[in-house]
């Protein structure tokens, strides 16, 4: 989850910088303190030796390094009188190696005016080990803290942000046309509560608007049916009268055709509206064989009239889960289209298999634009009587039941294929 | 013949009533559930056109009442919804036929005549007009005792036109009756014309005293000659 990573990385980086700075400061502070304490020790020892040598008339000279850890060598002139402290390496017999030491060098004067070189040493091995351990300790501390922090942060982050992800998931799954449960995350975080309530209100509003609009369209179409039927009926009645003039008859014919078209359009729109409003919920596996065969019988005369041959080849049963009535409308629309657009003396081919059903007719013109043809009212042919909704209805049906309707232009033929969702 | 129209859309009820009265039917209309129920209980009709979407109650209840009381009235149920359930339920309860709105007037006429024929099982089910006799059950046409051979589609067209004799039947109504709801594109109705042409020729050749008149691009009318 990107948010976690971003947050974690960000904080990790800051932590790294802060801890590094602090760690470094601490380390050097410690180093400093330890050195100071060592140096103080050296100075004290030097002071004690100087005092000791004061009490004797002639101090004992020490010319070699031994357990006494100091050198006292008479010199003719002091090089300086302050304490000079340095790190050095000295050979230790028992270790058979050079060990780190800290050495204080100074020149003291005996009351008898003799100058002596005084060097005091102390081992820094322990201190060095200590510093080394401290260094590692700091490092592990840093890494450990960071790891634990990351882990806990990731864990808590997931938990804290859970409502947010729930809301995201809800939004992703939101479908404007379906009714939905209210979002409930039971979070105590104020911002998420606000987000949740806003999302709920918004989705509710949007869904209601959408539904009422759809309902409105359906209601309008429904209401239009009766007046149209009445108008049609009256025109048909008038046309039957004996004493109308030819002009009147033509006018009536024109009115009749227009009303028929309106009626057909209205019926199609109503159907589309019902399909999209999910008013055909009863689905079952529906075999396309009997549907195709029965429709072919119905269209037999028309096909014969246009001298169109129809080849029907069923390799295997195509039985998608769909509302039977809509399946009928679907095949009917495609078949009607094919017959309308097929040129005379041509052949229409229908074929089905377990996973598809397609219909193919000879093309008279160029390939159709598959992006446009399924849109409402996008008629590309001279078929002035068609409502332009046939394919839109087909597409709508197919989408409702998780099927796919595809158009292909193959070898100068228009082919429409219905297949199960890939 | 008495017909009762139970339909809440008054304009539509009036239109149907008018077209039926021209055919010499006696027609009553009623627009609400309660009065409809009363009419059905108080009077007998040869055929009842029943709209299922009635205000004040559901049309199927009227149908149930008719069947329960054993009234002999034939019932054709009409509904605006295409609902399969309503249709099946209605037919199960005992309706004689089912029509969905919107329907063509000639279609309604043909259904009424068909239902009335079926009802008169103790009477003559044959249709006599001019010099022909039609037996719908046997699907036979006799022109002055000579059989007239018609193919299936021609028979459907002829019977439809006959049920609506002297009335204009639009090509659309005809096509929908004979070939189903798929043929609503006027371009393709040219092929209806070719069927009509064949039928006319057969009628003429057989000497039937009738003709199919084309009505100015609107449709056809079966007229006596």
């Amino acid at each position: 989850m990107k948010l976690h990573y971003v947050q974690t990385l960000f904080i990790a980086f800051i932590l790294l910088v802060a801890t590094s700075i602090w760690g470094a400061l601490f380390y050097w502070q410690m180093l400093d303190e330890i050195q100071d304490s060592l140096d103080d020790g050296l100075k004290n020892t030097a002071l004690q030796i100087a005092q000791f040598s004061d009490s004797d008339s002639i101090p004992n000279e020490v010319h070699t390094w031994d357990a006494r850890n100091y050198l006292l060598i008479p010199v003719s002139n002091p090089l300086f009188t302050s304490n000079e402290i340095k790190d050095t390496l000295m050979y230790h017999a028992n270790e058979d190696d050079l060990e780190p030491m800290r050495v204080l060098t100074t020149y003291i004067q005996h009351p008898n005016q003799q100058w002596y070189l005084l060097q005091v040493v102390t081992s820094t091995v322990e201190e060095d080990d200590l510093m080394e351990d401290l260094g590692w300790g700091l490092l592990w501390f840093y890494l450990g803290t960071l790891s634990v922090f990351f882990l806990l942060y990731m864990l808590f982050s997931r938990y804290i942000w859970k409502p947010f992800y729930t809301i995201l998931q809800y939004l992703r799954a939101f479908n404007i046309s379906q009714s939905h449960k209210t979002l409930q995350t039971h979070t105590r975080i104020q911002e998420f509560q606000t987000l949740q309530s806003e999302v709920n209100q918004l989705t509710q509003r949007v869904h209601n608007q959408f539904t009422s609009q759809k309902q409105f369209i359906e209601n309008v179409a429904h209401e239009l049916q009766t007046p149209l039927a009445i108008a049609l009926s009256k025109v048909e009645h008038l046309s039957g009268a004996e004493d109308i003039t030819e002009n009147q008859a033509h006018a009536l014919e024109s009115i009749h055709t227009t009303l028929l078209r309106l009626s057909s359009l209205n019926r199609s729109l109503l159907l589309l509206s019902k399909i999209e409003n999910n008013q055909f919920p009863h689905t079952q596996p529906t075999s396309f064989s009997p549907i195709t065969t029965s429709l072919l019988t119905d269209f037999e005369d028309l096909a014969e009239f246009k001298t169109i041959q129809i080849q029907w080849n069923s390799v295997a049963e195509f039985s998608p889960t769909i509302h039977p009535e809509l399946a009928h409308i679907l095949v009917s629309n495609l078949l009607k289209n094919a017959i309308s657009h097929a040129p005379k003396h041509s052949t229409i081919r229908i074929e089905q298999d377990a996973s598809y059903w397609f219909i193919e007719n000879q093309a008279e013109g160029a390939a159709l634009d598959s992006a446009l043809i399924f849109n409402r009212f996008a008629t590309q042919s001279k078929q002035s009587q068609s409502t332009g909704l046939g394919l839109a209805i087909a597409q709508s049906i197919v989408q409702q039941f998780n099927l796919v309707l595809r158009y292909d232009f193959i070898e100068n033929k228009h082919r429409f294929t219905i297949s199960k969702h890939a | 013949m008495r017909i009762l129209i139970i339909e809440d859309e008054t304009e539509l009820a009036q239109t149907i009533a008018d077209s039926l009265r021209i055919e010499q039917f006696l027609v009553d209309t009623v627009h609400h559930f309660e009065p409809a129920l009363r009419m059905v209980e108080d009077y007998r009709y040869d055929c009842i056109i029943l709209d299922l979407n009635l205000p004040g109650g559901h049309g199927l209840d009227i149908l149930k009442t008719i069947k329960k009381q054993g009234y002999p009235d034939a019932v054709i149920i009409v509904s605006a919804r295409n609902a399969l359930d309503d249709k099946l339920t209605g037919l199960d309860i005992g309706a004689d036929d089912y029509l969905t709105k919107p329907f063509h007037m000639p279609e309604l006429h043909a259904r009424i005549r068909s239902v009335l024929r079926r009802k008169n099982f103790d009477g003559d089910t044959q249709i006599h007009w001019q010099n022909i006799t039609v037996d719908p059950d046997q699907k036979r046409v006799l022109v002055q005792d000579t059989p007239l051979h018609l193919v299936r589609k021609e028979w459907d067209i002829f019977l439809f036109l006959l049920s609506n004799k002297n009335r204009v039947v639009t090509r659309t109504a005809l096509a929908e009756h004979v070939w189903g709801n798929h043929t609503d594109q006027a371009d393709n109705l040219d092929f209806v014309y070719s069927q009509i042409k064949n039928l006319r020729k057969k009628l003429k050749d057989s000497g039937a005293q009738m003709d199919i008149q084309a009505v100015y691009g609107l449709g056809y009318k079966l007229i006596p000659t």
Side-chain angles (χ1 to χ4, degrees):
Chain A
M1 274 165 263
K2 286 196 83 180
L3 182 63
H4 296 324
Y5 288 144
V6 167
Q7 282 185 315
T8 320
L9 276 170
F10 189 64
I11 293 182
F13 178 70
I14 292 180
L15 209 64
L16 174 68
V17 171
T19 321
S20 299
I21 293 174
W22 174 79
L25 286 175
F26 182 68
Y27 186 82
W28 283 318
Q29 175 95 343
M30 281 292 113
L31 201 66
D32 209 41
E33 284 301 321
I34 288 176
Q35 271 195 347
D36 277 354
S37 101
L38 276 177
D39 293 353
D40 281 350
L42 283 171
K43 285 184 204 159
N44 266 344
T45 312
L47 222 55
Q48 283 184 332
I49 295 168
Q51 286 175 339
F52 183 77
S53 62
D54 267 345
S55 63
D56 289 341
S57 21
I58 298 172
N60 292 332
E61 294 176 9
V62 179
H63 288 262
T64 52
W65 291 109
D66 57 26
R68 283 172 290 184
N69 283 338
Y70 72 90
L71 287 179
L72 193 60
I73 302 173
V75 294
S76 41
N77 285 309
L79 290 174
F80 49 82
T81 49
S82 57
N83 292 326
E84 195 186 272
I85 305 178
K86 278 199 288 210
D87 287 307
T88 185
L89 288 167
M90 289 173 68
Y91 180 78
H92 275 198
N94 58 331
E95 303 276 351
D96 194 22
D97 197 359
L98 293 171
E99 294 292 318
M101 316 287 276
R102 198 154 168 81
V103 53
L104 179 151
T105 312
T106 188
Y107 291 88
I108 52 174
Q109 189 179 42
H110 194 267
N112 66 2
Q113 310 300 318
Q114 176 63 47
W115 283 100
Y116 291 89
L117 164 70
L118 173 59
Q119 273 195 327
V120 189
V121 292
T122 181
S123 169
T124 59
V125 168
E126 290 306 316
E127 286 69 26
D128 283 351
D129 282 349
L130 180 70
M131 286 317 291
E132 204 177 299
D133 285 345
L134 187 67
W136 280 114
L138 269 179
L139 186 65
W140 287 121
F141 167 75
Y142 168 69
L143 289 173
T145 312
L146 223 56
S147 312
V148 169
F149 176 78
F150 281 2
L151 226 75
L152 288 177
Y153 188 76
M154 290 286 274
L155 239 72
F156 279 116
S157 201
R158 242 172 252 254
Y159 174 73
I160 290 170
W161 284 91
K162 193 153 167 289
F164 180 74
Y165 287 104
T166 310
I167 295 175
L168 269 188
Q169 187 58 33
Y170 179 82
L171 280 174
R172 203 177 285 138
F174 179 70
N175 185 335
I176 196 175
S177 60
Q178 288 167 351
S179 65
H180 51 281
K181 294 204 201 78
T182 322
L183 176 62
Q184 274 291 2
T185 57
H186 306 291
T187 178
R188 274 171 293 187
I189 299 169
Q190 218 177 11
E191 284 87 350
F192 292 155
Q193 280 174 344
T194 312
L195 182 61
Q196 174 179 281
S197 109
E198 288 304 316
V199 162
N200 274 333
Q201 280 179 23
L202 180 67
T203 54
Q204 192 60 42
R205 207 164 43 231
V206 153
H207 173 71
N208 287 346
Q209 274 180 356
F210 185 76
T211 314
S212 68
Q213 245 181 346
K214 298 211 104 185
Q215 201 51 45
F216 179 68
I217 294 174
E218 193 175 315
N219 288 344
V220 164
H222 190 88
E223 289 302 311
L224 283 175
Q225 276 183 338
T226 305
L228 277 172
I230 293 173
L232 266 169
S233 167
K234 300 242 184 256
V235 165
E236 285 167 17
H237 179 67
L238 269 178
S239 314
E242 299 287 341
D243 54 348
I244 51 170
T245 68
E246 200 171 313
N247 284 343
Q248 286 172 328
H250 281 310
L252 282 172
E253 184 192 339
S254 175
I255 297 173
H256 188 253
T257 311
T258 312
L259 285 173
L260 273 179
R261 190 169 149 70
L262 261 175
S263 186
S264 177
L265 194 64
N266 194 50
R267 258 182 296 168
S268 298
L269 274 175
L270 193 56
L271 180 62
L272 252 180
S273 171
K274 282 185 180 169
I275 293 171
E276 285 170 12
N277 276 348
N278 208 26
Q279 286 184 21
F280 292 90
H282 306 295
T283 63
Q284 63 197 59
T286 309
S287 166
F288 270 43
S289 281
I291 296 176
T292 310
T293 317
S294 117
L295 280 169
L296 283 177
T297 317
D298 288 343
F299 282 101
E300 202 175 18
D301 296 314
L302 181 56
E304 208 180 284
F305 178 69
K306 288 188 79 176
T307 58
I308 293 172
Q309 273 225 314
I310 304 186
Q311 267 176 18
W312 164 219
N313 180 26
S314 173
V315 176
E317 274 304 319
F318 181 61
S319 272
T321 301
I322 187 176
H323 190 282
E325 201 182 318
L326 291 181
H328 196 89
I329 295 174
L330 175 59
V331 173
S332 169
N333 278 7
L334 291 175
L335 186 52
K336 220 193 305 187
N337 260 4
I339 295 179
S340 296
H341 292 82
K344 287 196 175 185
H345 309 296
S346 66
T347 308
I348 289 178
R349 198 159 71 93
I350 305 176
E351 191 179 294
Q352 81 169 9
D353 199 340
S355 57
Y356 65 82
W357 179 100
F358 76 72
I359 182 167
E360 196 177 72
N361 68 286
Q362 199 76 31
E364 262 179 324
L368 302 171
D369 186 348
S370 66
L372 290 178
I373 49 173
F374 295 111
N375 291 346
R376 302 183 188 193
F377 306 120
T379 38
Q380 289 189 309
S381 71
K382 305 156 267 160
Q383 303 281 2
S384 57
Q385 285 293 332
S386 75
T387 56
L389 284 173
L391 281 178
I393 290 175
Q395 182 73 296
S396 186
I397 293 175
V398 141
Q399 278 169 350
Q400 198 67 24
F401 299 99
N402 215 27
L403 300 169
V404 176
L405 176 60
R406 207 180 68 227
Y407 164 74
D408 295 296
F409 189 71
I410 300 173
E411 286 170 11
N412 210 37
K413 295 205 241 291
H414 298 301
R415 181 191 292 196
F416 286 89
T417 312
I418 303 170
S419 54
K420 299 186 183 166
H421 199 76
Chain B
M1 291 277 178
R2 299 191 61 186
I3 310 227
L4 173 64
I5 301 173
I6 306 176
E7 165 63 60
D8 67 310
E9 293 175 86
T10 45
E11 183 74 56
L12 183 62
Q14 207 50 50
T15 309
I16 299 175
D18 287 343
S19 85
L20 286 173
R21 283 182 189 127
I22 294 174
E23 296 300 309
Q24 314 300 325
F25 286 106
L26 294 171
V27 185
D28 287 332
T29 61
V30 68
H31 310 294
H32 299 277
F33 184 81
E34 284 300 323
L37 204 53
R38 269 185 272 124
M39 294 282 264
V40 154
E41 279 164 0
D42 295 343
Y43 303 104
R44 297 274 64 74
Y45 293 92
D46 292 288
C47 182
I48 300 177
I49 313 291
L50 172 58
D51 182 6
L52 292 184
N53 310 11
L54 272 188
H58 197 267
L60 278 177
D61 292 335
I62 296 183
L63 177 61
K64 284 182 194 153
T65 310
I66 295 173
K67 289 297 149 188
K68 201 164 77 133
Q69 302 288 21
Y71 299 141
D73 312 19
V75 180
I76 297 177
I77 47 183
V78 173
S79 176
R81 278 174 281 147
N82 242 340
L84 210 63
D85 309 325
D86 267 4
K87 176 177 175 177
L88 292 178
T89 319
L91 293 173
D92 267 347
I93 298 175
D96 294 88
D97 207 345
Y98 182 101
L99 260 184
T100 40
K101 270 196 242 178
F103 50 80
H104 294 273
M105 216 51 71
E107 186 68 42
L108 177 66
H109 279 252
R111 301 290 184 102
I112 291 174
R113 296 217 182 264
S114 170
V115 149
L116 289 176
R117 270 199 304 274
R118 270 184 271 141
K119 226 187 63 130
N120 289 336
F121 43 76
D122 48 321
D124 187 8
T125 55
Q126 294 183 325
I127 307 169
H128 303 274
W129 191 53
Q130 301 289 89
N131 62 342
I132 64 157
T133 306
V134 177
D135 188 343
D137 299 322
Q138 303 273 12
K139 292 200 172 41
R140 279 196 323 169
V141 183
L142 290 172
V143 181
Q144 218 132 10
D145 302 324
T146 315
L148 170 63
H149 177 67
L150 297 175
V151 297
R152 177 62 197 269
K153 290 278 154 59
E154 286 167 351
W155 161 260
D156 287 338
I157 297 172
F158 183 58
L159 192 59
F160 193 58
L161 287 173
L162 189 59
S163 304
N164 288 286
K165 55 184 181 290
N166 287 313
R167 299 167 48 84
V168 178
V169 172
T170 59
R171 272 184 298 182
T172 316
L174 185 60
E176 277 186 27
H177 177 85
V178 176
W179 287 277
N181 282 332
H182 326 286
T183 51
D184 56 0
Q185 286 177 317
D187 299 327
N188 293 323
L189 297 180
D190 284 340
F191 86 101
V192 171
Y193 173 69
S194 77
Q195 308 281 343
I196 298 281
K197 214 168 66 154
N198 294 341
L199 185 58
R200 281 185 87 197
K201 188 164 187 316
K202 285 193 180 175
L203 284 174
K204 186 154 177 261
D205 290 348
S206 71
Q209 286 164 348
M210 57 193 67
D211 189 20
I212 301 175
Q213 186 186 64
V215 180
Y216 289 115
L218 205 63
Y220 305 98
K221 192 157 84 163
L222 187 68
I223 53 170
T225 51

